[in-house]
Amino acid sequence: KSVNENSLTTANLNILCPFCKKNTLMMLYKAINIPYIGDILLTTIICNTCKFKVSDIWIIHGKGEYKPNQTIKITKNTINHLVCASAGSRISIPALGIEIDIKTFDASHITTIEGILREIIDAVHSLLPTTENREKALEIIKTLEEEINTPSGKLSMTLHDPSGHSIIIPYDLWVARTEKTREIRQETINTIAKEIIKKWKEKI
């Protein structure tokens, strides 16, 4: 039986752990309802024996279809859009030759477009001491900083997710979000858990 603790729900899974093969997997989850978008489930599966852990997001009651490829121009009207990138998805900025593979999910993969640009800047800065093309790296940093300060629309970002579990949410929708924990059937939880573990296995 599921229990609610501080708006976070836990459920025992009748699934063997992929590492220790013990029947001690649990899912911690929280449903967030976003008006006009639907319900997004934030999940963490953890094994109480070996501490195996994997997190992901799942669209459970969506409104409309989510395309495998979502492309958006980075402008002053879109830079604060929310990006929810599930495990197995990819974020790219083709004009700069940038690709980010999301192999596992964590909280940093729910962020704004501006947040993604800042993460890229930090990553490029960390590579400066070892990169063979310092000039190109500095050019990327300069371009991204300019786009954060004054979004021009010359850059586009693509979110690619064949599973359809990732989404870009317009700013005016996600700021109006309401959070709720809904009662989810145990078989639904187990189905989602099996799919998350399957996706995780495919990436290792």
Side-chain angles (χ1 to χ4, degrees), residues 190-203:
N190 279 39
T191 298
I192 290 173
K194 288 176 182 177
E195 288 297 322
I196 291 172
I197 292 173
K198 179 182 176 181
K199 284 170 57 179
W200 176 82
K201 286 182 176 179
E202 290 173 350
K203 295 300 174 182

Side-chain angles (χ1 to χ4, degrees), residues 50-121:
C50 69
K51 305 308 178 186
F52 160 76
K53 181 179 178 182
V54 60
S55 299
D56 206 347
I57 60 175
W58 204 270
I59 297 171
I60 51 175
H61 294 97
K63 300 175 182 178
E65 296 182 358
Y66 302 103
K67 299 178 180 179
N69 294 292
Q70 302 169 63
T71 299
I72 190 165
K73 283 188 176 182
I74 301 174
T75 69
K76 65 179 181 179
N77 295 322
T78 65
I79 196 164
N80 289 313
H81 284 9
L82 194 68
V83 180
C84 299
S86 179
S89 61
R90 174 180 295 173
I91 297 171
S92 66
I93 303 178
L96 298 180
I98 293 172
E99 290 188 350
I100 305 170
D101 289 321
I102 311 298
K103 294 185 177 180
T104 58
F105 171 82
D106 62 41
S108 68
H109 300 143
I110 300 181
T111 185
T112 61
I113 291 177
E114 178 182 343
I116 290 171
L117 300 187
R118 293 190 182 279
E119 289 176 13
I120 294 171
I121 289 173

Side-chain angles (χ1 to χ4, degrees), residues 11 44 76 148 183 201:
T44 295
K76 65 179 181 179
I148 288 173
E183 196 68 30
K201 286 182 176 179

